Amino acid sequence: MVEAALSKLNRRHLHVAKYPVGIEDLLEDLEPLIDVANKHVGFIGLYGMGGIGKTTIAKAVYNYFADEFEGSSFLADVRETSKQHLGFVQLQETLLFDMLGDKKLKVGNTHRGINIIKERLCNKRVLIILDDVDEVEQFDTLAGGHEWFGLGSRIIITTRNKHLLTTHGVNVIYEVRGMDHERALELLSWNAFMREKPLENYLELSDRIVCYADGLPLALVVLGSFLCGRAEEQWQSAIHNLEKKPDKKLYQILKISYDALQDNEKSLFLDIACFFVGEDKDYVIKVLGSSNFCPVIGIEVLTDMSLINVEFKRLRMHHLIEEVGKEIVCQESPEAGKRSRLWSPDDVFHVFSENTGTNTIEGIMLKLPEQRTLYLNATSFNKMKRLRLLIFDNVVLSTAIGYLSNELRLIDLPGYQFPTLPFNSGPKQLVVLNMPHNHIHQFDKGFKVQLLCK
């Protein structure tokens, strides 16, 4: 009894957040899922996009429930720690120390560590939180199965990748969603003004920041802290800049999910972020599929990683994730003509007016609110031999296109007003040709296409 009492008295509570807005409501949601009275060994997964608050919630869960268990351990930053030299050994030793309090216990290697965890914890009712898991190996090394722990134990995992939870047999999965407008405004206000509601003259500016953050707590904390104590004109300037380029700290954190993707999945993500947000999923699969890559599994991976979601068969993306995708492309080169994808009207007009297009360009989208002439010459597309996607809307071309890449899969070019559309030797990859109200009299020899409309 003395040991149990001392264990609880010595347990350190984790710092949850400077301003834990909405945490109590989330704990109420999670309490029946954690179900501490149940005697089974339970694995519970918390998943969601980066910055959505998974770690904050997990810390609150730890503080709230730890005293219900014989032992508890919060393993922070599992993803980063496991990459370090002897990182898995360090995590195993931390777990065992938290549970047993023996500083002298060394596992030596991960295989021995697994055996020690199973031997020492199999009859102990424990609470373990594995924070920021991104590989199955991390599960297998730290919490490989139900039989490792005593009856009534709870293992809670936070991750950006829902599929990892499914792979490990986690059947209780909770998706962490963004804040509603009221909670978001309160969180921003605490960080920007150190009070529950914004100052009256900052209310409209605060609403704009909340809309920009779109429910993402990380964005609200980072931007609120940055804007704290600043004048209204500085808020306006910051908002203007954010609309052009994401905050550096937000960018680095959100980009972690992108970095974990395979090369084909990265390309698919960038195509969706730059060109296809809001489009029909089946249409995108048709356009982006090829003999080398089927987008069906890629879209599933992006969904599991909380980078996209599918609503009513249309691809959706949190606009901050969309901005990260576009910023990744912008980071490819300071010169627009040397980037893989173009969607900004300023960049597209510049590339064509200066004729600076290169072999790097894979996709171009120019959608304008009203008709405008794009000045080009017959050789404007000559260097774009890897061009896969060409999407124009409300664009009037100054002259006929003189060359198009045989790699094109999508041509969306309404109102093309010239009699010919040239290809070097016939489009080998084309699956969608959408050219209503065109004036084409004939296509080049060898031009064959299976699908002629969107």
Side-chain angles (χ1 to χ4, degrees), residues 328-343 346-348 350-351 354-361 383:
I328 288 168
V329 174
C330 290
Q331 293 288 333
E332 293 173 352
S333 173
E335 299 178 38
K338 294 182 179 179
R339 298 172 190 161
S340 61
R341 295 158 180 84
L342 301 175
W343 65 91
D346 289 343
D347 289 341
V348 175
H350 175 78
V351 167
E354 301 297 325
N355 200 17
T356 56
T358 68
N359 191 44
T360 305
I361 298 174
K383 295 179 181 178

Side-chain angles (χ1 to χ4, degrees), residues 61-124:
V61 166
Y62 179 86
N63 289 344
Y64 189 78
F65 290 105
D67 287 343
E68 303 289 333
F69 297 85
E70 295 177 66
S72 59
S73 179
F74 186 100
L75 295 179
D77 301 320
V78 170
R79 175 179 56 84
E80 283 297 323
T81 305
S82 65
K83 292 176 183 176
Q84 300 170 8
H85 179 59
L86 297 178
F88 279 117
V89 169
Q90 178 186 332
L91 287 165
Q92 289 177 330
E93 290 178 349
T94 300
L95 172 60
L96 288 166
F97 172 73
D98 289 344
M99 294 297 178
L100 307 173
D102 186 355
K103 292 182 179 180
K104 297 180 180 179
L105 181 58
K106 302 295 179 185
V107 302
N109 60 67
T110 55
H111 303 293
R112 184 168 180 266
I114 289 171
N115 287 333
I116 294 174
I117 292 171
K118 290 194 287 186
E119 290 170 3
R120 303 293 293 271
L121 302 185
C122 65
N123 293 313
K124 198 175 183 72

Side-chain angles (χ1 to χ4, degrees), residues 415-432:
Y416 184 74
Q417 68 270 38
F418 302 99
T420 60
L421 188 69
F423 283 85
N424 185 29
S425 58
K428 298 178 176 63
Q429 309 293 333
L430 193 62
V431 291
V432 174

Side-chain angles (χ1 to χ4, degrees), residues 323-449:
E323 285 190 13
V324 166
K326 291 179 176 179
E327 181 61 19
I328 288 168
V329 174
C330 290
Q331 293 288 333
E332 293 173 352
S333 173
E335 299 178 38
K338 294 182 179 179
R339 298 172 190 161
S340 61
R341 295 158 180 84
L342 301 175
W343 65 91
S344 163
D346 289 343
D347 289 341
V348 175
F349 278 106
H350 175 78
V351 167
F352 281 100
S353 65
E354 301 297 325
N355 200 17
T356 56
T358 68
N359 191 44
T360 305
I361 298 174
E362 298 180 35
I364 300 173
M365 181 174 73
L366 180 59
K367 288 189 173 184
L368 302 173
E370 54 188 28
Q371 275 198 352
R372 186 174 169 187
T373 300
L374 177 64
Y375 293 94
L376 64 150
N377 59 55
T379 65
S380 292
F381 287 93
N382 282 18
K383 295 179 181 178
M384 304 182 195
K385 300 186 185 301
R386 297 175 60 204
L387 188 66
R388 297 179 291 116
L389 309 167
L390 182 62
I391 306 165
F392 284 169
D393 188 24
N394 264 338
V395 177
V396 178
L397 301 180
S398 65
T399 188
I401 294 173
Y403 166 89
L404 281 175
S405 163
N406 292 329
E407 299 300 314
L408 273 163
R409 299 188 60 79
L410 165 64
I411 300 175
D412 194 345
L413 195 61
Y416 184 74
Q417 68 270 38
F418 302 99
T420 60
L421 188 69
F423 283 85
N424 185 29
S425 58
K428 298 178 176 63
Q429 309 293 333
L430 193 62
V431 291
V432 174
L433 177 65
N434 185 45
M435 298 183 68
H437 313 298
N438 70 77
H439 294 77
I440 295 175
H441 294 164
Q442 65 179 22
F443 289 104
D444 281 0
K445 292 180 180 179
F447 190 103
K448 294 179 180 179
V449 61

Side-chain angles (χ1 to χ4, degrees), residues 24 59 111 118 123 166 170 175 182 197 210 221 232 242 251 286 303 328 399 415 454:
E24 290 186 5
K59 288 179 179 179
H111 303 293
K118 290 194 287 186
N123 293 313
T166 306
V170 178
E175 181 182 3
E182 182 181 354
K197 296 182 179 180
V210 168
V221 171
E232 291 178 60
L242 285 169
Y251 171 78
K286 179 169 57 182
T303 303
I328 288 168
T399 188
K454 197 169 175 178

